[in-house]
Amino acid sequence: PACIQEPLDALAEKLDRPAKITYADLVLLNWSVTSEGKTDSKGAVKPGRDTLENLRIHQRFLAVPAEEWFFKMHIAMEGEAAECISAISGGLCAIQQDNVPAVTSCLDSLCQGLRSLISCHPDPYPHSSRAELVLMRRLKPFIAPDASLKEFSCWVYAGHSALIPTLFMFLGVKKGKHCLQAWRENSVKYMPTEHRKFIGMIQSNVTARAFVKGKIMAKSSLRVHDIAVLEGSFNRCIEQLLRFCSRRSQLVCRCVPNVAQWFREVEMKQEAEFLTRSHCALLIGRKLLAPLNPEGGTSDG
């Protein structure tokens, strides 16, 4: 009705976002913590996997237990993501300063942050997959009424969250032409302004992969050991990101089983290939370029 649509359009124009229900409305701005929990650097309470019982959802569409569980899991995940975002911010500064030890430290922090994101996904799940199936069938008309099931599976996988696009961009994972990549690029317009600015900042800087590869290829005063440690930290991030994406894929297959086979065999296969290539290319490059010492090992430069 016009009494809702008109103010919604005005608000959307002011926020520079489409006039529809987004991930920001359902997750990022739809919670409070009922008691003390984790705090950030400013002392503000933030959500996380340890505060699930104390999270309160403000707005629900269906008022069923699976809906509350689904949103709480993603609120906790976004709260745990603070460690990843902090590591990425530090990593961007360290790359600009050409500070290899600092970049290595930030990649190690990012790897730990990714482990926290993975731990937000239950194993095993607390209920049958039918609960998620019913939830998604009822929720889809509210949040993606015109989307196909394949498009909706992309929403379940990544929402309109800046998290996965940020991780892929910072690490320098090659872009594909699959549906998930298109979804990531299209989702930016639905994100809060500050999140879009952060993504823009990452896009305008050197990626972690480009930085690491540059150190491998360049003839610098760095010891091979230091480069290997840097490379190892990067590759561990890729491995953890692959694990995180696998957990997201598992969630999609539970929530949208009608397209589960397509999602696993087409979308996730391509997603995993691009991640794996980012990991292996660096290993091959270092082995080819590192000179052999008389004992048959690599030189310490």
Side-chain angles (χ1 to χ4, degrees):
C3 61
I4 296 177
Q5 188 64 49
E6 290 178 4
L8 180 62
D9 288 339
L11 179 61
E13 183 177 359
K14 186 174 181 179
L15 296 175
D16 191 25
R17 285 180 16 213
K20 63 179 294 183
I21 297 171
T22 67
Y23 185 84
D25 305 309
L26 295 170
V27 174
L28 301 179
L29 305 173
N30 191 28
W31 61 274
S32 62
V33 178
T34 58
S35 63
E36 292 186 5
K38 285 187 175 182
T39 59
D40 58 22
S41 58
K42 298 180 180 178
V45 175
K46 68 174 185 178
R49 63 186 187 279
D50 298 329
T51 59
L52 282 175
E53 294 182 358
N54 298 326
L55 280 176
R56 184 169 72 89
I57 307 298
H58 291 292
Q59 301 294 335
R60 292 186 291 176
F61 290 95
L62 307 176
V64 296
E67 179 187 20
E68 182 164 328
W69 166 83
F70 184 83
F71 290 146
K72 279 186 174 182
M73 181 183 74
H74 287 84
I75 292 167
M77 188 178 74
E78 294 290 338
E80 296 291 345
E83 185 176 357
C84 292
I85 300 305
S86 177
I88 290 173
S89 296
L92 291 173
C93 292
I95 288 172
Q96 290 176 346
Q97 296 167 2
D98 197 28
N99 188 332
V100 171
V103 173
T104 303
S105 176
C106 289
L107 288 172
D108 289 339
S109 296
L110 178 58
C111 184
Q112 183 57 46
L114 284 164
R115 292 191 183 100
S116 296
L117 296 182
I118 294 167
S119 69
C120 290
H121 297 73
D123 185 20
Y125 279 76
H127 42 251
S128 70
S129 59
R130 178 168 175 75
E132 288 122 7
L133 172 61
V134 172
L135 168 65
M136 292 301 149
R137 282 180 177 173
R138 295 178 179 177
L139 195 60
K140 184 179 179 297
F142 290 101
I143 59 179
D146 302 321
S148 66
L149 280 180
K150 289 182 177 180
E151 292 171 329
F152 186 59
S153 70
C154 294
W155 182 88
V156 176
Y157 179 79
H160 302 124
S161 172
L163 182 54
I164 293 181
T166 295
L167 291 166
F168 273 62
M169 288 179 190
F170 172 70
L171 290 174
V173 179
K174 184 179 178 181
K175 292 183 179 180
K177 296 182 179 180
H178 53 312
C179 292
L180 285 175
Q181 179 62 43
W183 180 269
R184 278 194 286 272
E185 294 175 356
N186 186 58
S187 292
V188 175
K189 63 185 178 184
Y190 297 103
M191 298 175 190
T193 302
E194 293 303 315
H195 293 199
R196 280 179 279 165
K197 288 181 179 178
F198 189 66
I199 285 178
M201 182 176 67
I202 295 173
Q203 289 175 322
S204 64
N205 280 274
V206 176
T207 67
R209 185 179 190 277
F211 179 81
V212 176
K213 189 174 181 180
K215 293 303 176 187
I216 294 171
M217 303 291 288
K219 294 181 180 179
S220 66
S221 59
L222 286 173
R223 296 184 305 159
V224 170
H225 170 76
D226 294 332
I227 297 176
V229 171
L230 173 65
E231 179 192 350
S233 295
F234 175 85
N235 283 331
R236 281 190 291 275
C237 287
I238 293 293
E239 291 163 4
Q240 293 303 317
L241 180 54
L242 187 56
R243 286 187 61 207
F244 173 64
C245 291
S246 176
R247 298 307 299 271
R248 299 302 302 168
S249 174
Q250 182 183 2
L251 179 66
V252 170
C253 293
R254 289 176 63 91
C255 291
V256 200
N258 290 347
V259 295
Q261 183 176 359
W262 166 82
F263 194 85
R264 283 194 307 265
E265 298 179 1
V266 179
E267 291 303 298
M268 282 310 300
K269 182 178 179 180
Q270 294 184 65
E271 194 93 319
E273 283 178 357
F274 286 119
L275 283 164
T276 303
R277 287 176 191 171
S278 298
H279 176 277
C280 293
L282 296 175
L283 286 171
I284 294 170
R286 182 169 66 85
K287 289 177 180 177
L288 290 175
L289 290 171
L292 292 176
N293 65 24
E295 286 74 26
T298 55
S299 168
D300 271 348

mmCIF file of all heavy atoms in Angstrom, residues 54-76:
data_model
loop_
_atom_site.group_PDB
_atom_site.id
_atom_site.type_symbol
_atom_site.label_atom_id
_atom_site.label_comp_id
_atom_site.label_asym_id
_atom_site.label_seq_id
_atom_site.Cartn_x
_atom_site.Cartn_y
_atom_site.Cartn_z
ATOM 1 N N ASN A 54 21.787 -15.172 24.492
ATOM 2 C CA ASN A 54 21.438 -13.831 24.959
ATOM 3 C C ASN A 54 21.027 -12.885 23.835
ATOM 4 O O ASN A 54 20.743 -11.710 24.082
ATOM 5 C CB ASN A 54 22.630 -13.221 25.700
ATOM 6 C CG ASN A 54 23.010 -14.020 26.929
ATOM 7 O OD1 ASN A 54 22.151 -14.585 27.591
ATOM 8 N ND2 ASN A 54 24.298 -14.094 27.221
ATOM 9 N N LEU A 55 21.019 -13.391 22.598
ATOM 10 C CA LEU A 55 20.599 -12.559 21.470
ATOM 11 C C LEU A 55 19.076 -12.480 21.405
ATOM 12 O O LEU A 55 18.379 -13.475 21.627
ATOM 13 C CB LEU A 55 21.127 -13.128 20.155
ATOM 14 C CG LEU A 55 22.572 -12.837 19.777
ATOM 15 C CD1 LEU A 55 22.931 -13.578 18.496
ATOM 16 C CD2 LEU A 55 22.806 -11.341 19.611
ATOM 17 N N ARG A 56 18.587 -11.317 21.084
ATOM 18 C CA ARG A 56 17.140 -11.152 20.892
ATOM 19 C C ARG A 56 16.882 -10.587 19.501
ATOM 20 O O ARG A 56 17.490 -9.593 19.109
ATOM 21 C CB ARG A 56 16.558 -10.201 21.945
ATOM 22 C CG ARG A 56 15.035 -10.073 21.862
ATOM 23 C CD ARG A 56 14.497 -9.354 23.078
ATOM 24 N NE ARG A 56 14.819 -7.947 23.057
ATOM 25 C CZ ARG A 56 14.052 -7.010 22.480
ATOM 26 N NH1 ARG A 56 12.926 -7.356 21.870
ATOM 27 N NH2 ARG A 56 14.400 -5.740 22.528
ATOM 28 N N ILE A 57 16.008 -11.254 18.756
ATOM 29 C CA ILE A 57 15.625 -10.799 17.420
ATOM 30 C C ILE A 57 14.454 -9.831 17.569
ATOM 31 O O ILE A 57 13.452 -10.150 18.201
ATOM 32 C CB ILE A 57 15.216 -11.977 16.522
ATOM 33 C CG1 ILE A 57 16.300 -13.052 16.515
ATOM 34 C CG2 ILE A 57 14.930 -11.497 15.104
ATOM 35 C CD1 ILE A 57 17.620 -12.602 15.979
ATOM 36 N N HIS A 58 14.569 -8.662 16.957
ATOM 37 C CA HIS A 58 13.511 -7.656 17.113
ATOM 38 C C HIS A 58 12.330 -7.895 16.181
ATOM 39 O O HIS A 58 11.177 -7.785 16.591
ATOM 40 C CB HIS A 58 14.078 -6.254 16.869
ATOM 41 C CG HIS A 58 15.012 -5.805 17.934
ATOM 42 N ND1 HIS A 58 14.618 -5.529 19.220
ATOM 43 C CD2 HIS A 58 16.359 -5.595 17.919
ATOM 44 C CE1 HIS A 58 15.656 -5.154 19.952
ATOM 45 N NE2 HIS A 58 16.735 -5.203 19.183
ATOM 46 N N GLN A 59 12.606 -8.194 14.911
ATOM 47 C CA GLN A 59 11.530 -8.368 13.943
ATOM 48 C C GLN A 59 11.635 -9.745 13.296
ATOM 49 O O GLN A 59 12.676 -10.130 12.801
ATOM 50 C CB GLN A 59 11.623 -7.296 12.837
ATOM 51 C CG GLN A 59 11.539 -5.872 13.341
ATOM 52 C CD GLN A 59 10.200 -5.524 13.940
ATOM 53 O OE1 GLN A 59 9.177 -6.129 13.598
ATOM 54 N NE2 GLN A 59 10.173 -4.549 14.844
ATOM 55 N N ARG A 60 10.512 -10.479 13.341
ATOM 56 C CA ARG A 60 10.448 -11.784 12.695
ATOM 57 C C ARG A 60 9.231 -11.814 11.781
ATOM 58 O O ARG A 60 8.212 -11.179 12.055
ATOM 59 C CB ARG A 60 10.363 -12.907 13.725
ATOM 60 C CG ARG A 60 11.640 -13.077 14.535
ATOM 61 C CD ARG A 60 11.560 -14.291 15.434
ATOM 62 N NE ARG A 60 10.586 -14.097 16.515
ATOM 63 C CZ ARG A 60 10.259 -15.035 17.395
ATOM 64 N NH1 ARG A 60 10.804 -16.233 17.310
ATOM 65 N NH2 ARG A 60 9.391 -14.784 18.345
ATOM 66 N N PHE A 61 9.331 -12.603 10.716
ATOM 67 C CA PHE A 61 8.218 -12.694 9.778
ATOM 68 C C PHE A 61 7.314 -13.885 10.070
ATOM 69 O O PHE A 61 6.122 -13.839 9.836
ATOM 70 C CB PHE A 61 8.765 -12.820 8.346
ATOM 71 C CG PHE A 61 9.398 -11.571 7.832
ATOM 72 C CD1 PHE A 61 10.758 -11.373 7.938
ATOM 73 C CD2 PHE A 61 8.635 -10.569 7.258
ATOM 74 C CE1 PHE A 61 11.351 -10.220 7.472
ATOM 75 C CE2 PHE A 61 9.213 -9.407 6.791
ATOM 76 C CZ PHE A 61 10.572 -9.224 6.896
ATOM 77 N N LEU A 62 7.891 -14.974 10.568
ATOM 78 C CA LEU A 62 7.151 -16.225 10.681
ATOM 79 C C LEU A 62 6.948 -16.685 12.116
ATOM 80 O O LEU A 62 6.083 -17.504 12.384
ATOM 81 C CB LEU A 62 7.886 -17.324 9.905
ATOM 82 C CG LEU A 62 8.216 -16.990 8.451
ATOM 83 C CD1 LEU A 62 9.025 -18.109 7.823
ATOM 84 C CD2 LEU A 62 6.946 -16.735 7.653
ATOM 85 N N ALA A 63 7.764 -16.198 13.044
ATOM 86 C CA ALA A 63 7.654 -16.560 14.461
ATOM 87 C C ALA A 63 7.738 -18.068 14.678
ATOM 88 O O ALA A 63 6.963 -18.652 15.440
ATOM 89 C CB ALA A 63 6.357 -16.003 15.057
ATOM 90 N N VAL A 64 8.692 -18.706 14.009
ATOM 91 C CA VAL A 64 8.932 -20.133 14.203
ATOM 92 C C VAL A 64 10.359 -20.302 14.718
ATOM 93 O O VAL A 64 11.233 -19.481 14.438
ATOM 94 C CB VAL A 64 8.727 -20.929 12.896
ATOM 95 C CG1 VAL A 64 7.287 -20.851 12.445
ATOM 96 C CG2 VAL A 64 9.657 -20.420 11.797
ATOM 97 N N PRO A 65 10.633 -21.359 15.475
ATOM 98 C CA PRO A 65 11.970 -21.533 16.068
ATOM 99 C C PRO A 65 13.098 -21.540 15.046
ATOM 100 O O PRO A 65 14.163 -20.984 15.286
ATOM 101 C CB PRO A 65 11.849 -22.892 16.773
ATOM 102 C CG PRO A 65 10.394 -23.030 17.077
ATOM 103 C CD PRO A 65 9.683 -22.386 15.941
ATOM 104 N N ALA A 66 12.889 -22.166 13.886
ATOM 105 C CA ALA A 66 13.955 -22.244 12.881
ATOM 106 C C ALA A 66 14.327 -20.866 12.349
ATOM 107 O O ALA A 66 15.490 -20.613 12.027
ATOM 108 C CB ALA A 66 13.523 -23.153 11.730
ATOM 109 N N GLU A 67 13.336 -19.972 12.285
ATOM 110 C CA GLU A 67 13.620 -18.616 11.807
ATOM 111 C C GLU A 67 14.537 -17.895 12.793
ATOM 112 O O GLU A 67 15.535 -17.263 12.398
ATOM 113 C CB GLU A 67 12.323 -17.823 11.642
ATOM 114 C CG GLU A 67 12.558 -16.396 11.180
ATOM 115 C CD GLU A 67 11.279 -15.574 11.197
ATOM 116 O OE1 GLU A 67 10.317 -15.962 11.902
ATOM 117 O OE2 GLU A 67 11.247 -14.524 10.511
ATOM 118 N N GLU A 68 14.234 -17.998 14.062
ATOM 119 C CA GLU A 68 15.062 -17.347 15.070
ATOM 120 C C GLU A 68 16.473 -17.933 15.076
ATOM 121 O O GLU A 68 17.462 -17.202 15.162
ATOM 122 C CB GLU A 68 14.420 -17.504 16.451
ATOM 123 C CG GLU A 68 15.201 -16.815 17.550
ATOM 124 C CD GLU A 68 14.391 -16.646 18.818
ATOM 125 O OE1 GLU A 68 13.159 -16.472 18.734
ATOM 126 O OE2 GLU A 68 14.990 -16.686 19.899
ATOM 127 N N TRP A 69 16.568 -19.260 14.958
ATOM 128 C CA TRP A 69 17.883 -19.904 14.903
ATOM 129 C C TRP A 69 18.677 -19.417 13.699
ATOM 130 O O TRP A 69 19.869 -19.112 13.814
ATOM 131 C CB TRP A 69 17.697 -21.420 14.830
ATOM 132 C CG TRP A 69 18.959 -22.128 14.436
ATOM 133 C CD1 TRP A 69 19.994 -22.486 15.246
ATOM 134 C CD2 TRP A 69 19.334 -22.517 13.114
ATOM 135 N NE1 TRP A 69 20.995 -23.087 14.510
ATOM 136 C CE2 TRP A 69 20.620 -23.120 13.198
ATOM 137 C CE3 TRP A 69 18.721 -22.432 11.858
ATOM 138 C CZ2 TRP A 69 21.281 -23.623 12.082
ATOM 139 C CZ3 TRP A 69 19.382 -22.931 10.754
ATOM 140 C CH2 TRP A 69 20.655 -23.517 10.868
ATOM 141 N N PHE A 70 18.037 -19.333 12.532
ATOM 142 C CA PHE A 70 18.711 -18.938 11.296
ATOM 143 C C PHE A 70 19.277 -17.529 11.411
ATOM 144 O O PHE A 70 20.444 -17.274 11.087
ATOM 145 C CB PHE A 70 17.730 -19.029 10.125
ATOM 146 C CG PHE A 70 18.341 -18.734 8.787
ATOM 147 C CD1 PHE A 70 19.022 -19.719 8.090
ATOM 148 C CD2 PHE A 70 18.228 -17.472 8.222
ATOM 149 C CE1 PHE A 70 19.586 -19.457 6.846
ATOM 150 C CE2 PHE A 70 18.788 -17.190 6.978
ATOM 151 C CZ PHE A 70 19.462 -18.198 6.283
ATOM 152 N N PHE A 71 18.476 -16.607 11.895
ATOM 153 C CA PHE A 71 18.936 -15.225 12.005
ATOM 154 C C PHE A 71 19.993 -15.070 13.098
ATOM 155 O O PHE A 71 20.963 -14.332 12.936
ATOM 156 C CB PHE A 71 17.754 -14.281 12.263
ATOM 157 C CG PHE A 71 16.844 -14.117 11.076
ATOM 158 C CD1 PHE A 71 15.483 -13.939 11.240
ATOM 159 C CD2 PHE A 71 17.349 -14.137 9.789
ATOM 160 C CE1 PHE A 71 14.642 -13.788 10.150
ATOM 161 C CE2 PHE A 71 16.524 -13.990 8.687
ATOM 162 C CZ PHE A 71 15.155 -13.816 8.867
ATOM 163 N N LYS A 72 19.805 -15.759 14.201
ATOM 164 C CA LYS A 72 20.796 -15.678 15.282
ATOM 165 C C LYS A 72 22.159 -16.189 14.822
ATOM 166 O O LYS A 72 23.195 -15.613 15.170
ATOM 167 C CB LYS A 72 20.321 -16.479 16.505
ATOM 168 C CG LYS A 72 19.317 -15.750 17.378
ATOM 169 C CD LYS A 72 19.024 -16.557 18.630
ATOM 170 C CE LYS A 72 18.127 -15.793 19.586
ATOM 171 N NZ LYS A 72 17.882 -16.551 20.835
ATOM 172 N N MET A 73 22.161 -17.277 14.049
ATOM 173 C CA MET A 73 23.425 -17.815 13.558
ATOM 174 C C MET A 73 24.158 -16.773 12.712
ATOM 175 O O MET A 73 25.375 -16.597 12.824
ATOM 176 C CB MET A 73 23.189 -19.076 12.728
ATOM 177 C CG MET A 73 24.468 -19.709 12.201
ATOM 178 S SD MET A 73 24.196 -21.148 11.141
ATOM 179 C CE MET A 73 23.620 -20.348 9.648
ATOM 180 N N HIS A 74 23.422 -16.052 11.870
ATOM 181 C CA HIS A 74 24.058 -15.072 10.995
ATOM 182 C C HIS A 74 24.442 -13.797 11.744
ATOM 183 O O HIS A 74 25.443 -13.156 11.410
ATOM 184 C CB HIS A 74 23.146 -14.765 9.809
ATOM 185 C CG HIS A 74 23.091 -15.888 8.815
ATOM 186 N ND1 HIS A 74 22.250 -16.960 8.961
ATOM 187 C CD2 HIS A 74 23.823 -16.116 7.688
ATOM 188 C CE1 HIS A 74 22.443 -17.804 7.956
ATOM 189 N NE2 HIS A 74 23.391 -17.322 7.183
ATOM 190 N N ILE A 75 23.677 -13.436 12.752
ATOM 191 C CA ILE A 75 24.059 -12.298 13.589
ATOM 192 C C ILE A 75 25.358 -12.615 14.319
ATOM 193 O O ILE A 75 26.277 -11.791 14.389
ATOM 194 C CB ILE A 75 22.934 -11.960 14.589
ATOM 195 C CG1 ILE A 75 21.713 -11.418 13.842
ATOM 196 C CG2 ILE A 75 23.415 -10.951 15.626
ATOM 197 C CD1 ILE A 75 20.460 -11.353 14.693
ATOM 198 N N ALA A 76 25.444 -13.820 14.869
ATOM 199 C CA ALA A 76 26.678 -14.245 15.547
ATOM 200 C C ALA A 76 27.847 -14.264 14.571
ATOM 201 O O ALA A 76 28.966 -13.849 14.904
ATOM 202 C CB ALA A 76 26.475 -15.620 16.168
#
